[in-house]
Coordinates of all heavy atoms in Angstrom, one line a residue:
M1000 N -62.9 24.2 -6.7 CA -61.8 23.7 -7.4 C -60.6 23.3 -6.5 O -60.4 24.1 -5.6 CB -61.3 24.8 -8.4 CG -61.4 24.4 -9.9 SD -61.2 25.8 -10.9 CE -59.8 25.3 -11.8
D1001 N -60.0 22.3 -6.8 CA -58.8 21.8 -6.0 C -57.6 22.8 -6.2 O -57.5 23.4 -7.2 CB -58.4 20.4 -6.4 CG -57.6 19.7 -5.4 OD1 -57.6 20.2 -4.2 OD2 -57.0 18.7 -5.7
S1002 N -56.8 22.9 -5.2 CA -55.7 23.9 -5.2 C -54.7 23.6 -6.3 O -54.1 24.5 -6.9 CB -55.0 24.0 -3.9 OG -54.3 22.8 -3.6
K1003 N -54.6 22.3 -6.7 CA -53.6 21.9 -7.7 C -54.1 22.5 -9.1 O -53.2 22.8 -9.9 CB -53.3 20.4 -7.8 CG -54.5 19.6 -8.2 CD -54.2 18.2 -8.2 CE -55.4 17.4 -8.6 NZ -55.2 15.9 -8.6
W1004 N -55.4 22.6 -9.3 CA -55.9 23.1 -10.5 C -55.7 24.6 -10.6 O -55.4 25.2 -11.7 CB -57.3 22.8 -10.7 CG -57.5 21.3 -11.0 CD1 -58.0 20.4 -10.1 CD2 -57.2 20.6 -12.2 NE1 -58.0 19.2 -10.7 CE2 -57.5 19.3 -12.0 CE3 -56.6 21.0 -13.4 CZ2 -57.2 18.3 -12.9 CZ3 -56.4 20.0 -14.3 CH2 -56.7 18.7 -14.1
W1005 N -55.8 25.3 -9.5 CA -55.5 26.8 -9.4 C -54.0 27.0 -9.7 O -53.7 28.0 -10.5 CB -55.8 27.3 -8.1 CG -57.3 27.5 -7.8 CD1 -58.1 26.9 -7.0 CD2 -58.1 28.5 -8.5 NE1 -59.4 27.3 -7.1 CE2 -59.4 28.3 -8.0 CE3 -57.9 29.5 -9.5 CZ2 -60.5 29.1 -8.4 CZ3 -59.0 30.2 -9.9 CH2 -60.2 30.0 -9.4
V1006 N -53.1 26.2 -9.2 CA -51.7 26.3 -9.5 C -51.4 26.1 -11.0 O -50.7 26.9 -11.6 CB -50.9 25.3 -8.6 CG1 -49.4 25.3 -9.0 CG2 -51.0 25.7 -7.1
L1007 N -52.0 25.0 -11.5 CA -51.8 24.8 -13.0 C -52.3 25.9 -13.8 O -51.7 26.4 -14.7 CB -52.5 23.5 -13.3 CG -52.4 23.0 -14.8 CD1 -51.0 22.8 -15.2 CD2 -53.3 21.8 -15.1
L1008 N -53.5 26.4 -13.5 CA -54.1 27.5 -14.2 C -53.2 28.8 -14.1 O -53.0 29.4 -15.1 CB -55.5 27.8 -13.7 CG -56.3 28.9 -14.4 CD1 -56.6 28.5 -15.8 CD2 -57.5 29.2 -13.6
G1009 N -52.7 29.1 -13.0 CA -51.8 30.2 -12.8 C -50.5 30.1 -13.5 O -50.1 31.1 -14.2
V1010 N -49.9 29.0 -13.5 CA -48.6 28.8 -14.2 C -48.8 28.8 -15.7 O -48.0 29.4 -16.4 CB -48.0 27.5 -13.7 CG1 -46.8 27.1 -14.6 CG2 -47.6 27.6 -12.3
V1011 N -49.9 28.2 -16.2 CA -50.2 28.2 -17.7 C -50.5 29.7 -18.1 O -50.0 30.1 -19.1 CB -51.3 27.3 -18.0 CG1 -51.8 27.5 -19.4 CG2 -50.9 25.8 -17.8
L1012 N -51.2 30.4 -17.3 CA -51.6 31.8 -17.6 C -50.3 32.6 -17.7 O -50.1 33.5 -18.5 CB -52.6 32.3 -16.7 CG -53.0 33.8 -16.9 CD1 -53.7 33.9 -18.2 CD2 -53.9 34.2 -15.8
A1013 N -49.4 32.4 -16.7 CA -48.1 33.1 -16.7 C -47.3 32.8 -17.9 O -46.7 33.7 -18.5 CB -47.4 32.8 -15.4
G1014 N -47.3 31.6 -18.3 CA -46.5 31.2 -19.5 C -47.1 31.8 -20.8 O -46.3 32.3 -21.6
I1015 N -48.4 31.9 -20.9 CA -49.0 32.5 -22.0 C -48.7 34.0 -22.0 O -48.4 34.6 -23.1 CB -50.6 32.3 -22.0 CG1 -50.8 30.8 -22.3 CG2 -51.3 33.2 -23.0 CD1 -52.3 30.4 -22.1
L1016 N -48.8 34.7 -20.9 CA -48.5 36.1 -20.8 C -47.1 36.4 -21.2 O -46.8 37.4 -21.8 CB -48.9 36.6 -19.4 CG -50.3 36.7 -19.1 CD1 -50.6 37.0 -17.6 CD2 -51.0 37.8 -19.9
L1017 N -46.1 35.6 -20.7 CA -44.7 35.8 -21.0 C -44.5 35.6 -22.5 O -43.7 36.3 -23.1 CB -43.9 34.8 -20.2 CG -43.7 35.1 -18.7 CD1 -42.9 34.0 -18.0 CD2 -42.9 36.5 -18.6
A1018 N -45.1 34.6 -23.1 CA -44.9 34.3 -24.5 C -45.5 35.5 -25.3 O -44.9 36.0 -26.3 CB -45.6 33.0 -24.9
G1019 N -46.6 36.0 -24.9 CA -47.3 37.2 -25.6 C -46.4 38.4 -25.5 O -46.2 39.1 -26.5
E1020 N -45.8 38.6 -24.3 CA -45.0 39.8 -24.1 C -43.7 39.7 -25.0 O -43.3 40.6 -25.6 CB -44.6 39.9 -22.7 CG -43.7 41.1 -22.4 CD -44.4 42.4 -22.4 OE1 -45.7 42.4 -22.2 OE2 -43.8 43.4 -22.6
T1021 N -43.2 38.5 -25.1 CA -42.0 38.3 -25.9 C -42.3 38.5 -27.4 O -41.5 39.1 -28.1 CB -41.4 36.8 -25.7 OG1 -41.2 36.6 -24.3 CG2 -40.2 36.6 -26.5
V1022 N -43.4 38.0 -27.9 CA -43.8 38.2 -29.3 C -44.0 39.7 -29.5 O -43.5 40.2 -30.6 CB -45.1 37.4 -29.6 CG1 -45.6 37.8 -30.9 CG2 -44.8 35.9 -29.6
M1023 N -44.6 40.4 -28.6 CA -44.8 41.8 -28.8 C -43.5 42.6 -28.8 O -43.3 43.5 -29.6 CB -45.7 42.4 -27.7 CG -47.1 41.9 -27.7 SD -48.0 42.3 -29.1 CE -49.6 41.9 -28.7
K1024 N -42.5 42.2 -28.0 CA -41.2 42.8 -28.0 C -40.5 42.6 -29.3 O -39.8 43.4 -29.9 CB -40.3 42.3 -26.9 CG -40.8 42.7 -25.5 CD -40.4 44.1 -25.2 CE -40.8 44.4 -23.8 NZ -40.6 45.8 -23.5
I1025 N -40.6 41.3 -29.9 CA -40.0 41.0 -31.2 C -40.6 41.9 -32.3 O -39.9 42.3 -33.2 CB -40.1 39.5 -31.5 CG1 -39.2 38.7 -30.5 CG2 -39.7 39.2 -32.9 CD1 -39.5 37.2 -30.5
L1026 N -41.9 42.1 -32.2 CA -42.6 42.9 -33.2 C -42.5 44.4 -33.0 O -43.1 45.1 -33.7 CB -44.1 42.4 -33.3 CG -44.3 41.0 -33.7 CD1 -45.8 40.7 -33.7 CD2 -43.8 40.7 -35.1
S1027 N -41.8 44.8 -32.0 CA -41.6 46.2 -31.6 C -42.9 46.9 -31.3 O -43.1 48.1 -31.7 CB -40.8 46.9 -32.7 OG -39.6 46.4 -32.9
I1028 N -43.8 46.2 -30.7 CA -45.1 46.8 -30.3 C -45.0 47.2 -28.8 O -44.6 46.4 -28.0 CB -46.3 45.8 -30.5 CG1 -46.4 45.4 -31.9 CG2 -47.6 46.4 -29.9 CD1 -47.4 44.3 -32.2
P1029 N -45.2 48.5 -28.5 CA -45.0 48.9 -27.1 C -46.1 48.3 -26.2 O -47.3 48.3 -26.4 CB -45.2 50.4 -27.2 CG -46.0 50.6 -28.4 CD -45.7 49.6 -29.3
T1030 N -45.6 47.6 -25.1 CA -46.5 47.0 -24.1 C -46.3 47.5 -22.7 O -47.1 47.2 -21.8 CB -46.3 45.5 -24.1 OG1 -44.9 45.3 -23.7 CG2 -46.6 44.8 -25.4
Y1031 N -45.3 48.3 -22.5 CA -44.9 48.9 -21.2 C -44.8 47.8 -20.2 O -45.1 48.0 -19.0 CB -46.0 49.9 -20.8 CG -46.2 51.0 -21.9 CD1 -47.4 50.9 -22.7 CD2 -45.3 51.9 -22.2 CE1 -47.6 51.9 -23.7 CE2 -45.5 52.9 -23.2 CZ -46.6 52.8 -23.9 OH -46.8 53.7 -24.9
N1032 N -44.3 46.7 -20.6 CA -44.0 45.5 -19.7 C -45.2 45.0 -19.0 O -45.1 44.4 -17.9 CB -42.9 45.9 -18.7 CG -41.6 46.2 -19.4 OD1 -41.2 45.5 -20.4 ND2 -40.8 47.1 -18.9
A1033 N -46.4 45.2 -19.5 CA -47.6 44.8 -18.8 C -47.6 43.3 -18.7 O -48.1 42.7 -17.7 CB -48.8 45.3 -19.5
G1034 N -47.2 42.6 -19.8 CA -47.2 41.1 -19.8 C -46.3 40.5 -18.7 O -46.7 39.5 -18.1
Y1035 N -45.2 41.1 -18.5 CA -44.3 40.6 -17.5 C -44.9 40.8 -16.1 O -44.8 39.9 -15.2 CB -42.9 41.3 -17.5 CG -42.1 41.0 -18.8 CD1 -41.5 42.1 -19.5 CD2 -42.0 39.8 -19.3 CE1 -40.8 41.8 -20.7 CE2 -41.3 39.5 -20.4 CZ -40.7 40.5 -21.1 OH -40.0 40.3 -22.2
I1036 N -45.5 42.0 -15.9 CA -46.1 42.3 -14.6 C -47.2 41.3 -14.3 O -47.4 40.8 -13.2 CB -46.5 43.7 -14.5 CG1 -45.3 44.6 -14.6 CG2 -47.3 44.0 -13.2 CD1 -45.6 46.1 -14.8
L1037 N -48.1 41.2 -15.3 CA -49.3 40.3 -15.1 C -48.8 38.8 -14.9 O -49.4 38.1 -14.2 CB -50.2 40.4 -16.3 CG -50.9 41.7 -16.4 CD1 -51.7 41.8 -17.7 CD2 -51.8 42.0 -15.2
A1038 N -47.8 38.4 -15.6 CA -47.3 37.0 -15.5 C -46.7 36.8 -14.1 O -47.0 35.8 -13.5 CB -46.2 36.8 -16.5
A1039 N -46.0 37.8 -13.6 CA -45.5 37.7 -12.2 C -46.6 37.6 -11.2 O -46.6 36.8 -10.2 CB -44.6 38.8 -11.9
L1040 N -47.6 38.4 -11.4 CA -48.8 38.4 -10.5 C -49.5 37.0 -10.6 O -50.0 36.5 -9.6 CB -49.7 39.5 -10.7 CG -49.2 40.9 -10.4 CD1 -50.2 42.0 -10.8 CD2 -49.0 41.0 -8.9
S1041 N -49.7 36.5 -11.8 CA -50.3 35.2 -12.0 C -49.5 34.1 -11.3 O -50.1 33.3 -10.6 CB -50.5 35.0 -13.5 OG -51.0 33.7 -13.7
F1042 N -48.2 34.1 -11.4 CA -47.4 33.1 -10.8 C -47.4 33.2 -9.3 O -47.5 32.2 -8.6 CB -45.9 33.2 -11.3 CG -45.1 32.1 -10.9 CD1 -45.2 30.9 -11.6 CD2 -44.1 32.2 -9.9 CE1 -44.4 29.8 -11.2 CE2 -43.3 31.1 -9.6 CZ -43.5 29.9 -10.2
L1043 N -47.4 34.5 -8.8 CA -47.5 34.7 -7.3 C -48.9 34.2 -6.8 O -48.9 33.5 -5.8 CB -47.3 36.2 -7.0 CG -47.4 36.6 -5.6 CD1 -46.2 35.9 -4.8 CD2 -47.4 38.1 -5.4
G1044 N -49.9 34.5 -7.6 CA -51.2 34.0 -7.2 C -51.3 32.5 -7.2 O -51.9 31.9 -6.3
A1045 N -50.7 31.9 -8.1 CA -50.6 30.4 -8.2 C -49.9 29.8 -7.0 O -50.3 28.8 -6.4 CB -50.0 29.9 -9.5
M1046 N -48.8 30.5 -6.6 CA -48.0 30.0 -5.4 C -48.9 30.1 -4.2 O -48.9 29.2 -3.3 CB -46.7 30.7 -5.3 CG -45.7 30.4 -6.3 SD -44.0 31.0 -6.0 CE -44.3 32.7 -5.6
I1047 N -49.6 31.3 -4.0 CA -50.4 31.5 -2.8 C -51.5 30.5 -2.8 O -51.8 29.9 -1.7 CB -50.9 32.9 -2.8 CG1 -49.8 33.9 -2.6 CG2 -52.0 33.1 -1.8 CD1 -50.1 35.3 -2.7
M1048 N -52.2 30.2 -3.9 CA -53.3 29.3 -3.9 C -52.8 27.9 -3.7 O -53.5 27.0 -3.1 CB -54.0 29.3 -5.3 CG -54.8 30.6 -5.5 SD -56.1 30.9 -4.2 CE -57.2 29.6 -4.6
G1049 N -51.6 27.6 -4.1 CA -51.0 26.2 -3.9 C -50.7 26.0 -2.4 O -50.7 24.8 -2.0
T1050 N -50.3 27.0 -1.7 CA -49.9 26.8 -0.3 C -51.1 26.9 0.7 O -50.9 26.6 1.9 CB -48.9 27.9 0.1 OG1 -49.4 29.2 -0.1 CG2 -47.6 27.7 -0.7
R1051 N -52.3 27.3 0.2 CA -53.4 27.4 1.1 C -53.9 26.0 1.6 O -53.9 25.1 0.8 CB -54.6 28.1 0.4 CG -54.3 29.6 0.2 CD -55.4 30.3 -0.5 NE -56.6 30.3 0.4 CZ -57.8 30.5 0.1 NH1 -58.1 30.6 -1.2 NH2 -58.8 30.5 1.0
R1052 N -54.3 25.9 2.8 CA -54.8 24.7 3.3 C -56.3 24.8 3.5 O -56.8 25.8 3.8 CB -54.1 24.4 4.7 CG -52.7 24.4 4.6 CD -52.1 23.1 5.2 NE -50.7 23.1 5.2 CZ -50.0 22.3 4.6 NH1 -50.5 21.3 3.8 NH2 -48.7 22.3 4.6
K1053 N -56.9 23.7 3.3 CA -58.4 23.7 3.5 C -58.8 23.3 4.9 O -58.1 22.7 5.6 CB -59.0 22.6 2.5 CG -58.9 23.1 1.1 CD -59.7 22.2 0.2 CE -59.6 22.7 -1.2 NZ -60.4 22.0 -2.1

C-alpha cells in the first residue's frame, strides 16, 4: 500500500475515534479517555507512515 493511503486511513480512523469519544461523553458513558488516546496514536502512526521513504 502506498504511504498516502496509510496516512488517509490513519487520519480517518482518528476522526472516527474522536467522534465516538465525543458522543460517549455527551451520553455520559464512561470511556476513560480511551478514544482520545487511540485517536492520538492513530494520528501519530499516520504521520510516521507518511514520512517513511521507500
